[in-house]
Amino acid sequence: MSVTTPILEARGLVKRYARGLIRRRETFRLEADLTVEESTIVGVMGPNGSGKTTLFELITGSNMPSAGTVRVLGRNIHEVKYGQRDRLAIHYHQSYQVRHFRRTRPSFLMQPAGHDYPMVHLFDEPQFNTQDGYIGFMLEFFRKLRSEGRLVFVCLHPNEPYHLELMEEVCERFVFVLAGRVREYPDFDSLLRATDVRSYLGRLVSPDAA
Amino acid sequence: MALFEARGIHKRFGRQVVLERIDLSFEAGRLSGIMGPNGAGKTTCFNVLTGRFKPDRGRVVFDGEDITGLSPSAIARKGIARSFQIMSLFDEYSALENIVIALPDVRARGFNMIDSLSADSEAADRAAAVLARVGLAGREHRRAGDLAYGERRALEVGVALAARPRLLFLDEPTSGLGTEATARLADLVQDLKRDHSIVVIEHDMQFLFGLADTISVIHWGQVVAAGTPDALRENKWVQRSTLGAPP
């Protein structure tokens, strides 16, 4: 019997944000249980503020979870030296999305990444523009990473029909994030059948698409 | 073997990875293009290839020799010339003088003899030939500061050519140029292509697709695609874009 280590395993992952000094009141809570065994391209959708970027920050280890673990190829990302976490999982984002988090432990007590080039690539709302042709090059790049045995996440907040078209073309499975809840769909059709996904996508899905 | 190669270049600034796993290969006698959107890492890449920044990992090889980490001037002496997106001309001097002081033997003599340099007829003749080559015949005695923007760009290319480089890097040559000046520059580069090995770094895709033999597309600090313009055009999404239309 062969036991393979999943590329990504997020177990009992919780991130809580609270406000108030005496009576702590929870303002946001993200929960995720997500296991990806093999290289694939995962499409991530969800409204602004639903927790997509927080999920990516937890997976790449820049943000600490309140509970739970993230393992990349079996390595706990939050036990890897800060400066090497992006050798395991890298978050590509717009400069305005960058949040810096406090480093709370000495790096020399932590683990090396064990890789030079990241195994998990998370693309956070890449600027897809049909005018200049870069979409084609980007999609080919996602496929290249996948063919090298890596895991790719493409996060998008679709507001044009071609956004859905390219997600359907390049992604093999899907994640929908809504109000801090993370749900998985094995393919595009099952994603589009979900009621809250349909209401989120609104005019982008015609009534007879399901 | 390629004239110039970059292998596995990795560069970070603090917490930010700016270049990741860059592999590039430029053949002699070809025009190689590097394109990418703003902020993709093109200029950082240019700076690593031409010695301004040292990569954290990876190698830069020119004509079989490892030049990783050499200073820009040492790399220039190996026969690599560069023209910048930021103008670097001496505005107070004439177009001819700008070329004269870029001639390697004149540089070796020093700059303090500038008044007598324009009288050095042999150097002046060579400089005039360079000016003619970049389309500035008749502009020899015009102050560089008084030239039109497109002419200044051509003069910059002339300054780079004065060193008789074995490889010429042009960084964003069309930046700040209007449609007409861009078309004239394209004609100039097309002409230089006949007898020079050139690398053009450019965000203007139409310009590059019209001129390059091969193109490497850089995005997120990485080479996301590479091939001939025709091969890159085969992509369905490229065909849907303005690049898909035949030139």
Side-chain angles (χ1 to χ4, degrees), chain A residues 48-61:
Chain A
N48 292 327
S50 60
K52 304 189 297 291
T53 293
T54 301
L55 177 64
F56 280 11
E57 289 168 348
L58 293 170
I59 291 174
T60 53

PDB file of all heavy atoms in Angstrom, chain A residues 48-61:
ATOM      1  N   ASN A  48     -16.354  40.141  -2.429  1.00  0.00           N
ATOM      2  CA  ASN A  48     -15.346  40.855  -1.656  1.00  0.00           C
ATOM      3  C   ASN A  48     -15.688  40.756  -0.182  1.00  0.00           C
ATOM      4  O   ASN A  48     -16.848  40.868   0.198  1.00  0.00           O
ATOM      5  CB  ASN A  48     -15.292  42.328  -2.078  1.00  0.00           C
ATOM      6  CG  ASN A  48     -14.752  42.469  -3.489  1.00  0.00           C
ATOM      7  OD1 ASN A  48     -13.903  41.691  -3.921  1.00  0.00           O
ATOM      8  ND2 ASN A  48     -15.261  43.449  -4.217  1.00  0.00           N
ATOM      9  N   GLY A  49     -14.678  40.518   0.647  1.00  0.00           N
ATOM     10  CA  GLY A  49     -14.907  40.451   2.084  1.00  0.00           C
ATOM     11  C   GLY A  49     -15.377  39.083   2.551  1.00  0.00           C
ATOM     12  O   GLY A  49     -15.669  38.903   3.731  1.00  0.00           O
ATOM     13  N   SER A  50     -15.438  38.096   1.656  1.00  0.00           N
ATOM     14  CA  SER A  50     -15.938  36.782   2.073  1.00  0.00           C
ATOM     15  C   SER A  50     -14.841  35.962   2.741  1.00  0.00           C
ATOM     16  O   SER A  50     -15.134  34.980   3.418  1.00  0.00           O
ATOM     17  CB  SER A  50     -16.490  36.027   0.859  1.00  0.00           C
ATOM     18  OG  SER A  50     -15.469  35.858  -0.103  1.00  0.00           O
ATOM     19  N   GLY A  51     -13.585  36.333   2.546  1.00  0.00           N
ATOM     20  CA  GLY A  51     -12.491  35.617   3.204  1.00  0.00           C
ATOM     21  C   GLY A  51     -11.510  34.958   2.247  1.00  0.00           C
ATOM     22  O   GLY A  51     -10.645  34.204   2.687  1.00  0.00           O
ATOM     23  N   LYS A  52     -11.607  35.255   0.951  1.00  0.00           N
ATOM     24  CA  LYS A  52     -10.729  34.605  -0.036  1.00  0.00           C
ATOM     25  C   LYS A  52      -9.257  34.937   0.237  1.00  0.00           C
ATOM     26  O   LYS A  52      -8.412  34.045   0.286  1.00  0.00           O
ATOM     27  CB  LYS A  52     -11.074  35.051  -1.470  1.00  0.00           C
ATOM     28  CG  LYS A  52     -12.516  34.827  -1.888  1.00  0.00           C
ATOM     29  CD  LYS A  52     -12.717  35.084  -3.379  1.00  0.00           C
ATOM     30  CE  LYS A  52     -12.450  36.516  -3.817  1.00  0.00           C
ATOM     31  NZ  LYS A  52     -13.432  37.502  -3.328  1.00  0.00           N
ATOM     32  N   THR A  53      -8.992  36.228   0.409  1.00  0.00           N
ATOM     33  CA  THR A  53      -7.598  36.628   0.613  1.00  0.00           C
ATOM     34  C   THR A  53      -7.069  36.115   1.957  1.00  0.00           C
ATOM     35  O   THR A  53      -5.924  35.668   2.052  1.00  0.00           O
ATOM     36  CB  THR A  53      -7.451  38.156   0.475  1.00  0.00           C
ATOM     37  OG1 THR A  53      -7.725  38.500  -0.888  1.00  0.00           O
ATOM     38  CG2 THR A  53      -6.044  38.630   0.818  1.00  0.00           C
ATOM     39  N   THR A  54      -7.935  36.139   2.997  1.00  0.00           N
ATOM     40  CA  THR A  54      -7.518  35.586   4.297  1.00  0.00           C
ATOM     41  C   THR A  54      -7.178  34.105   4.155  1.00  0.00           C
ATOM     42  O   THR A  54      -6.168  33.642   4.696  1.00  0.00           O
ATOM     43  CB  THR A  54      -8.656  35.778   5.335  1.00  0.00           C
ATOM     44  OG1 THR A  54      -8.929  37.170   5.430  1.00  0.00           O
ATOM     45  CG2 THR A  54      -8.253  35.241   6.695  1.00  0.00           C
ATOM     46  N   LEU A  55      -7.974  33.370   3.393  1.00  0.00           N
ATOM     47  CA  LEU A  55      -7.693  31.951   3.158  1.00  0.00           C
ATOM     48  C   LEU A  55      -6.316  31.795   2.514  1.00  0.00           C
ATOM     49  O   LEU A  55      -5.523  30.942   2.922  1.00  0.00           O
ATOM     50  CB  LEU A  55      -8.793  31.342   2.275  1.00  0.00           C
ATOM     51  CG  LEU A  55      -8.599  29.875   1.877  1.00  0.00           C
ATOM     52  CD1 LEU A  55      -8.637  28.962   3.095  1.00  0.00           C
ATOM     53  CD2 LEU A  55      -9.648  29.435   0.858  1.00  0.00           C
ATOM     54  N   PHE A  56      -6.023  32.629   1.515  1.00  0.00           N
ATOM     55  CA  PHE A  56      -4.726  32.558   0.836  1.00  0.00           C
ATOM     56  C   PHE A  56      -3.588  32.905   1.802  1.00  0.00           C
ATOM     57  O   PHE A  56      -2.531  32.283   1.783  1.00  0.00           O
ATOM     58  CB  PHE A  56      -4.700  33.505  -0.369  1.00  0.00           C
ATOM     59  CG  PHE A  56      -5.391  32.940  -1.599  1.00  0.00           C
ATOM     60  CD1 PHE A  56      -6.170  31.796  -1.523  1.00  0.00           C
ATOM     61  CD2 PHE A  56      -5.238  33.553  -2.839  1.00  0.00           C
ATOM     62  CE1 PHE A  56      -6.794  31.275  -2.655  1.00  0.00           C
ATOM     63  CE2 PHE A  56      -5.860  33.035  -3.969  1.00  0.00           C
ATOM     64  CZ  PHE A  56      -6.640  31.898  -3.883  1.00  0.00           C
ATOM     65  N   GLU A  57      -3.825  33.896   2.657  1.00  0.00           N
ATOM     66  CA  GLU A  57      -2.786  34.281   3.624  1.00  0.00           C
ATOM     67  C   GLU A  57      -2.503  33.156   4.618  1.00  0.00           C
ATOM     68  O   GLU A  57      -1.367  32.967   5.058  1.00  0.00           O
ATOM     69  CB  GLU A  57      -3.218  35.536   4.395  1.00  0.00           C
ATOM     70  CG  GLU A  57      -3.203  36.810   3.564  1.00  0.00           C
ATOM     71  CD  GLU A  57      -3.908  37.978   4.264  1.00  0.00           C
ATOM     72  OE1 GLU A  57      -4.603  37.746   5.281  1.00  0.00           O
ATOM     73  OE2 GLU A  57      -3.779  39.111   3.772  1.00  0.00           O
ATOM     74  N   LEU A  58      -3.537  32.409   4.964  1.00  0.00           N
ATOM     75  CA  LEU A  58      -3.348  31.291   5.886  1.00  0.00           C
ATOM     76  C   LEU A  58      -2.591  30.152   5.208  1.00  0.00           C
ATOM     77  O   LEU A  58      -1.708  29.528   5.798  1.00  0.00           O
ATOM     78  CB  LEU A  58      -4.704  30.777   6.399  1.00  0.00           C
ATOM     79  CG  LEU A  58      -5.479  31.751   7.297  1.00  0.00           C
ATOM     80  CD1 LEU A  58      -6.897  31.224   7.541  1.00  0.00           C
ATOM     81  CD2 LEU A  58      -4.762  31.973   8.624  1.00  0.00           C
ATOM     82  N   ILE A  59      -2.921  29.915   3.927  1.00  0.00           N
ATOM     83  CA  ILE A  59      -2.265  28.821   3.197  1.00  0.00           C
ATOM     84  C   ILE A  59      -0.781  29.129   2.980  1.00  0.00           C
ATOM     85  O   ILE A  59       0.069  28.247   3.065  1.00  0.00           O
ATOM     86  CB  ILE A  59      -2.990  28.558   1.850  1.00  0.00           C
ATOM     87  CG1 ILE A  59      -4.382  27.943   2.114  1.00  0.00           C
ATOM     88  CG2 ILE A  59      -2.160  27.641   0.960  1.00  0.00           C
ATOM     89  CD1 ILE A  59      -5.224  27.772   0.859  1.00  0.00           C
ATOM     90  N   THR A  60      -0.463  30.410   2.725  1.00  0.00           N
ATOM     91  CA  THR A  60       0.948  30.759   2.487  1.00  0.00           C
ATOM     92  C   THR A  60       1.685  31.061   3.784  1.00  0.00           C
ATOM     93  O   THR A  60       2.884  31.333   3.768  1.00  0.00           O
ATOM     94  CB  THR A  60       1.063  31.983   1.563  1.00  0.00           C
ATOM     95  OG1 THR A  60       0.269  33.047   2.092  1.00  0.00           O
ATOM     96  CG2 THR A  60       0.588  31.659   0.164  1.00  0.00           C
ATOM     97  N   GLY A  61       0.956  31.039   4.902  1.00  0.00           N
ATOM     98  CA  GLY A  61       1.617  31.192   6.198  1.00  0.00           C
ATOM     99  C   GLY A  61       1.935  32.613   6.593  1.00  0.00           C
ATOM    100  O   GLY A  61       2.615  32.833   7.589  1.00  0.00           O
TER     101      GLY A  61
END
